[in-house]
Amino acid sequence: NLINFGIVPLIFDNEEDYERVNQDDKVSLDISDLTADTFTLHNETQKLDIPIKPAFGSTDISTLKAGGALNLI
C-alpha cells in the first residue's frame, strides 16, 4: 500500500474538486501535522484552496514520518 512506501494517501472532501485541478497547475500542500483532520490543497495557478482529508489512521503516522516501512527496520 502507499503508506509502506512513504506516500501520504489523501482524498478530496468533495468529489467535484477533482475536476478543479488541471495537469499543469502548480499546487502546494502542508502536511507537517499528520494528525490533522483535514488539509488544504493550495492551487496556486487558479488561486483556489481545496479541502482534502487523510486516508490513513493514527497508527500509520510513524510509518509515514519514517518515509515508509523499510525505513522502520
Side-chain angles (χ1 to χ4, degrees):
N1 76 29
L2 296 173
I3 295 166
N4 287 335
F5 291 97
I7 299 171
V8 180
L10 303 165
I11 56 175
F12 288 96
D13 263 355
N14 302 310
E15 193 173 311
E16 303 84 39
D17 287 337
Y18 182 80
E19 299 297 326
R20 298 173 72 188
V21 180
N22 297 315
Q23 183 174 351
D24 294 327
D25 286 353
K26 181 178 180 183
V27 297
S28 63
L29 177 66
D30 179 8
I31 56 168
S32 58
D33 179 14
L34 290 173
T35 62
D37 292 332
T38 61
F39 301 100
T40 301
L41 178 70
H42 303 285
N43 186 326
E44 297 172 20
T45 304
Q46 297 185 41
K47 308 288 189 250
L48 297 172
D49 287 336
I50 301 170
I52 55 176
K53 55 188 170 185
F56 58 88
S58 59
T59 57
D60 299 317
I61 292 175
S62 61
T63 305
L64 288 167
K65 284 184 175 181
L70 287 177
N71 293 331
L72 289 176
I73 298 174

